[in-house]
Amino acid sequence: MSARTWLRAGLAFLAVTQFAVGGWALLFPRSFFDIPWVGMRMPYNAHLMMDYGAMSLATSVVLGVAVLVVRRSMARTALAMYLVFAAPHLVIHIQMLHHLTPAERVPLLAALTVAVVIPLALLPLTSRLEKA
């Protein structure tokens, strides 16, 4: 597979994931919050969950445009935008692991680490795209 194909596939994966998570959090905030590594045994806040859902949906739009408009500047912007959220999100959750059982920590850390590794792996592929 070409670099362009890998990049497009990675961006599509991130876009679909953000769309699914965002839709779930926005439309079914209580259900989303009830996942142990989301609520982390803290008080429920519907407003916060719906805001998170809306932000994730907005993120999916930018990533989706990058899938359709496969240009260097668009792909880099989409990946940078995603990383600006994903990297601090991982760090924040690492600092709050004490709220979770050891069994709950593993899937959380795995998912959030992958959410940082994927865009970092895709960024070098953008150098093979035409400028725009």
Side-chain angles (χ1 to χ4, degrees):
M1 278 181 19
S2 71
R4 182 184 181 91
T5 303
W6 278 108
L7 181 59
R8 186 173 248 169
L11 288 165
F13 173 78
L14 294 174
V16 168
T17 301
Q18 286 299 292
F19 183 81
V21 168
W24 185 3
L26 181 63
L27 300 174
F28 306 101
R30 185 69 211 206
S31 168
F32 185 75
F33 183 84
D34 285 342
I35 299 169
W37 52 84
V38 174
M40 300 184 85
R41 295 173 181 78
M42 295 179 187
Y44 174 65
N45 185 324
H47 173 223
L48 179 62
M49 286 297 93
M50 289 185 281
D51 277 354
Y52 173 78
M55 184 274 309
S56 293
L57 287 174
T59 300
S60 75
V61 170
V62 175
L63 291 162
V65 169
V67 171
L68 299 173
V69 182
V70 188
R71 301 267 193 221
R72 186 182 304 171
S73 61
M74 186 64 220
R76 286 180 176 171
T77 299
L79 291 168
M81 177 267 322
Y82 184 80
L83 279 167
V84 165
F85 169 75
H89 191 209
L90 172 60
V91 171
I92 290 163
H93 276 277
I94 287 171
Q95 294 171 351
M96 302 182 105
L97 288 177
H98 61 279
H99 289 281
L100 302 174
T101 67
E104 293 167 340
R105 293 174 189 165
V106 173
L108 171 69
L109 290 177
L112 295 181
T113 300
V114 167
V116 172
V117 169
I118 289 174
L120 286 176
L122 294 174
L123 268 173
L125 299 177
T126 63
S127 65
R128 298 182 187 173
L129 299 175
E130 64 268 14
K131 291 182 181 179

